[in-house]
C-alpha cells in the first residue's frame, strides 16, 4: 500500500487543506481531502484494464469551494452531519427540550443545516499504510452548532485494502444528549461519470421502503416494494420503472439479520464490467439519482447534469428523531455511536 499526501493551496478562507491518495498494488486509488471528508476520486480498472474514476467531483480541490458550485450544491462525496437527510420542520425534542434547526429545504432541515460537516476542515490525526491504507480524521462540533446541543466529537476513518475494499467508519461521542445521524454522500457513475446512470443495473437487499411526504420527509410508515416501481429485489436497470423526470429519491430498509456488516446494494455497469457492492452496519440505504445536479464541468472536463450519478447513502432512518417507531438517533454522554460501510469493487465474471 502506498499513500501520497499533498498540501493544497486554498483560494478560499479554508486553511490546512490536504489531499491524500491511497493506492494499492492493483493501482486502485482512493483520494480524500480533509475538506468535508470528501472522497474526490475512486480509480478502479475496468474489464479491459483501463482506469475508470467512478465518483463525481473535481480535479481541483478549490472547485469544491466555488460560489458556482455552492449555488446549487449537491454535496459531492462529502460527510453529512450532524443529521443526514431531512428533519421535519427542522424541529426535534430531547429530554423535553425543543430545538429548532435551520429550515434549509422548504420548512425542513436538510443535511445538518446551513453549514454542516461537509464544509468543515477536519483534523487529520492518523495516516498509515499497514495493515491497510488508512486515513483517520477528527471534527469537533461545538455545543449549539447549527442549533444542535452538545459538543460532538466525530472520528472518520477511510481505508483501502489490497482486495479493493473501501471502508468508511464513523465514531462519535458527546458531552450532552444530542441528535446524530451521519452518512457519506458519494455520487457514483461506473462509466467514468459519462452519461446518465439509468442503464446501470441495481439490486437492493430491501423488501420495504419508507413513505415520504411531498417534501421527501419520512412519515414513519413502511411500504412493501412488491408490485411497486421501487422493487429492486431482483437486479434490473435503474430506469426500468422510474419517472424519467424524477428518478429515485427514496430510503430503503435493508433486510438485515444482524447488526454487523451486511449487503445493502449491488450495482454494475455492462459497459465497464465494474461491480460496486455496498455493505453496511446501518439499517437503511437512501437511493438518490441526482435529479438536482446542476449542469457543470467535472473531472476530466466531463459534463455533469441531472441523473449523472446515483447515491447509496447508508444511515439510520431519516427523521428518526421525530418518529418513535424508528431506531434511536439520540446519543448520550458515555455512549458511542458507531457505523461502518464498505464498498467492494470487482468485475463481472
Amino acid at each position: 500500500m502506498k499513500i501520497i499526501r499533498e498540501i493544497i493551496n486554498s483560494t478560499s478562507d479554508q486553511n490546512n487543506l490536504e489531499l491524500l491518495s491511497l493506492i494499492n498494488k492493483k493501482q486502485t486509488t482512493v483520494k480524500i481531502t480533509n475538506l468535508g471528508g470528501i472522497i474526490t476520486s475512486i480509480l478502479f480498472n475496468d474489464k479491459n484494464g483501463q482506469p475508470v474514476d467512478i465518483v463525481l467531483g473535481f480535479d481541483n480541490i478549490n472547485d469544491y469551494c466555488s460560489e458556482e458550485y455552492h449555488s446549487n450544491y449537491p454535496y459531492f462525496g462529502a460527510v453529512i452531519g450532524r443529521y443526514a437527510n431531512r428533519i421535519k420542520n427542522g424541529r426535534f425534542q430531547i429530554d423535553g427540550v425543543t430545538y429548532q434547526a435551520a429550515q434549509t429545504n422548504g420548512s425542513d432541515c436538510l443535511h445538518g443545516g446551513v453549514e454542516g460537516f461537509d464544509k468543515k476542515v477536519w483534523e487529520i490525526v492518523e495516516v498509515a499504510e499497514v495493515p491497510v491504507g488508512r486515513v483517520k480524521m477528527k471534527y469537533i462540533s461545538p455545543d449549539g452548532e447549527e442549533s444542535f446541543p452538545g459538543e460532538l466529537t466525530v472520528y472518520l476513518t477511510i481505508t483501502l485494502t489490497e482486495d479493493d475494499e473501501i471502508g468508511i467508519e464513523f465514531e462519535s461521542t458527546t458531552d450532552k444528549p444530542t441528535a446524530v445521524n451521519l452518512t457519506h454522500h458519494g455520487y457514483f457513475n461506473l462509466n467514468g461519470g459519462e452519461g446518465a446512470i439509468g442503464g446501470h443495473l441495481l439490486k437492493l437487499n430491501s423488501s420495504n421502503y419508507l413513505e415520504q411526504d411531498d417534501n421527501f420527509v419520512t412519515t414513519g410508515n413502511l411500504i412493501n416494494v412488491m408490485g411497486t416501481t421501487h422493487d429492486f429485489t431482483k437486479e434490473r436497470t435503474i430506469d426500468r420503472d422510474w419517472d424519467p423526470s424524477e428518478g429515485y429519491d427514496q430510503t430503503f430498509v435493508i433486510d438485515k439479520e444482524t447488526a454487523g456488516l451486511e449487503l445493502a446494494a449491488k450495482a454494475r455497469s455492462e459497459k465497464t464490467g465494474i461491480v460496486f457492492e455496498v455493505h453496511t452496519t446501518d439499517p437503511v440505504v437512501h437511493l438518490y439519482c441526482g435529479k438536482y445536479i446542476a449542469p457543470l464541468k467535472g473531472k476530466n472536463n466531463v459534463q455533469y447534469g441531472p441523473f449523472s450519478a446515483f447515491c447509496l447513502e447508508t444511515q439510520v432512518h431519516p427523521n428518526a428523531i421525530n418518529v418513535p417507531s424508528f431506531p434511536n438517533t439520540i446519543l448520550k454522554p458515555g455512549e458511542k455511536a458507531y457505523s461502518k460501510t464498505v464498498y467492494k469493487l470487482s468485475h463481472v465474471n
Side-chain angles (χ1 to χ4, degrees):
M1 188 67 62
K2 178 181 179 181
I3 298 180
I4 300 173
R5 191 168 179 175
E6 305 171 66
I7 302 297
I8 304 299
N9 294 318
S10 176
T11 58
S12 74
D13 60 354
Q14 306 286 0
N15 298 311
N16 304 315
L17 296 190
E18 296 192 39
L19 181 68
L20 300 101
S21 300
L22 281 60
I23 309 168
N24 70 14
K25 292 178 181 178
K26 300 176 188 176
Q27 298 305 300
T28 299
T29 302
V30 179
K31 295 185 178 182
I32 310 138
T33 176
N34 60 326
L35 173 63
I38 297 170
I39 294 178
T40 67
S41 176
I42 297 177
L43 284 169
F44 184 67
N45 287 344
D46 67 10
K47 61 186 178 182
N48 299 315
Q50 298 301 308
V52 176
D53 196 335
I54 65 169
V55 296
L56 269 57
F58 302 106
D59 294 311
N60 190 326
I61 300 303
N62 287 305
D63 289 342
Y64 290 94
C65 306
S66 72
E67 290 185 14
E68 177 188 7
Y69 175 59
H70 283 277
S71 66
N72 198 332
Y73 182 47
Y75 302 85
F76 279 163
V79 174
I80 303 299
R82 288 188 191 191
Y83 213 91
N85 212 297
R86 294 159 178 82
I87 297 175
K88 184 65 175 177
N89 296 320
R91 192 175 302 122
F92 58 93
Q93 282 193 351
I94 298 176
D95 295 336
V97 179
T98 299
Y99 297 91
Q100 179 64 61
Q103 294 168 310
T104 53
N105 186 258
S107 62
D108 306 312
C109 181
L110 176 66
H111 288 339
V114 177
E115 188 173 292
F117 293 178
D118 52 287
K119 296 185 178 74
K120 305 300 184 182
V121 177
W122 292 58
E123 177 190 356
I124 298 172
V125 295
E126 183 183 11
V127 178
E129 296 182 354
V130 292
V132 297
R134 182 170 67 256
V135 175
K136 188 173 185 178
M137 304 180 188
K138 179 174 72 171
Y139 176 65
I140 299 176
S141 176
D143 183 16
E145 183 173 65
E146 292 293 335
S147 300
F148 287 88
E151 181 179 275
L152 184 75
T153 300
V154 181
Y155 287 94
L156 164 68
T157 304
I158 297 176
T159 57
L160 172 65
T161 72
E162 296 293 350
D163 294 324
D164 301 320
E165 295 186 1
I166 301 162
I168 301 173
E169 295 178 77
F170 290 112
E171 192 173 17
S172 306
T173 56
T174 183
D175 64 355
K176 294 180 184 177
T178 191
V180 182
N181 193 5
L182 305 178
T183 191
H184 207 273
H185 209 311
Y187 281 75
F188 301 94
N189 182 317
L190 306 183
N191 296 332
E194 296 182 354
I197 45 77
H200 281 60
L201 292 150
L202 178 66
K203 182 178 181 180
L204 299 178
N205 182 26
S206 173
S207 301
N208 297 279
Y209 66 95
L210 300 183
E211 181 185 67
Q212 298 174 160
D213 66 18
D214 291 341
N215 200 37
F216 303 99
V217 183
T218 61
T219 64
N221 296 325
L222 274 65
I223 301 174
N224 192 284
V225 301
M226 193 66 67
T228 74
T229 59
H230 291 65
D231 187 356
F232 286 92
T233 54
K234 295 182 180 178
E235 183 187 65
R236 63 176 177 86
T237 60
I238 295 175
D239 65 2
R240 190 189 74 181
D241 295 327
W242 75 0
D243 178 338
S245 65
E246 296 293 330
Y248 290 98
D249 195 348
Q250 199 81 46
T251 304
F252 291 80
V253 180
I254 304 166
D255 293 337
K256 297 196 70 179
E257 297 181 358
T258 73
L261 280 171
E262 292 191 24
L263 179 67
K266 181 178 181 180
R268 68 181 178 95
S269 162
E270 292 185 321
K271 178 181 178 180
T272 62
I274 294 174
V275 178
F276 175 77
E277 294 182 14
V278 179
H279 299 248
T280 188
T281 62
D282 281 324
V284 305
V285 59
H286 188 87
L287 171 64
Y288 171 55
C289 293
K291 173 187 175 180
Y292 299 107
I293 300 173
L296 52 83
K297 286 290 178 69
K299 288 177 288 188
N300 302 313
N301 211 33
V302 173
Q303 180 68 41
Y304 299 154
F307 312 113
S308 289
F310 62 87
C311 302
L312 291 165
E313 305 158 57
T314 55
Q315 58 197 269
V316 182
H317 302 47
N319 195 38
I321 190 72
N322 289 314
V323 182
S325 61
F326 282 176
N328 175 55
T329 52
I330 297 176
L331 180 65
K332 297 181 179 180
E335 298 176 344
K336 186 178 293 184
Y338 175 81
S339 67
K340 182 175 184 178
T341 294
V342 175
Y343 303 145
K344 295 185 177 182
L345 299 172
S346 62
H347 299 98
V348 175
N349 293 327

